[in-house]
Amino acid sequence: MVDLSQYLPILLFLGVALAISTAFVVLPMLASRLTGSHKPTVAKLSEYECGFPAFEDPRSQFDVRFYLVAILFIIFDLEAAFIYPWAVSVFHLGWTAWFSMMIFIAELALGLVYAWKKGALDWE
């Protein structure tokens, strides 16, 4: 026979998580209704990011260079995320870790040179 009392902490955790997530959804909507901020006005519907109305259809396609720059940013951001823990512990890991990181950096540098030669970083 299975003792179901072992699952009580999990059920309590799920119940608390469900209550908190429901509160995060319902309370802002309720506060919006009570304060009157849900009523649209001309000022609320105006552009706030760039300050002027859009010239084109908002569903227009982006140039592929935006995506290439984003991918390159993610690659070099991940490189920094890998280098920091390595730099903290390199003296404890020895020469093998140093050489493996130099190979990793060389591979990323080759990727950067390749992207540069292909014109991924040229902005016209």
Side-chain angles (χ1 to χ4, degrees), residues 113-122:
V113 169
Y114 176 78
W116 200 331
K117 293 290 183 186
K118 285 292 186 177
L121 301 175
D122 294 337

Side-chain angles (χ1 to χ4, degrees), residues 1-16:
M1 187 156 175
V2 177
D3 185 21
L4 295 178
S5 65
Q6 295 176 355
Y7 293 104
L8 183 62
I10 296 172
L11 290 175
L12 285 174
F13 178 76
L14 289 175
V16 169

Side-chain angles (χ1 to χ4, degrees), residues 11-108:
L11 290 175
L12 285 174
F13 178 76
L14 289 175
V16 169
L18 183 65
I20 290 174
S21 62
T22 303
F24 277 132
V25 170
V26 172
L27 289 178
M29 292 179 0
L30 183 63
S32 171
R33 290 284 174 190
L34 293 176
T35 60
S37 62
H38 69 284
K39 298 175 185 170
T41 63
V42 176
K44 288 180 186 175
L45 296 176
S46 66
E47 295 78 15
Y48 59 92
E49 287 185 7
C50 58
F52 55 88
F55 297 122
E56 302 173 352
D57 180 29
R59 292 188 178 99
S60 63
Q61 291 184 349
F62 284 98
D63 192 2
V64 73
R65 289 177 291 196
F66 287 109
Y67 300 111
L68 290 175
V69 170
I71 289 170
L72 288 172
F73 172 76
I74 290 171
I75 288 171
F76 289 104
D77 190 43
L78 286 175
E79 176 187 7
F82 283 130
I83 287 178
Y84 180 73
W86 169 81
V88 169
S89 61
V90 69
F91 295 113
H92 300 290
L93 298 175
W95 286 103
T96 306
W98 189 83
F99 283 120
S100 62
M101 183 55 73
M102 293 305 116
I103 292 171
F104 176 69
I105 291 173
E107 288 176 357
L108 286 173

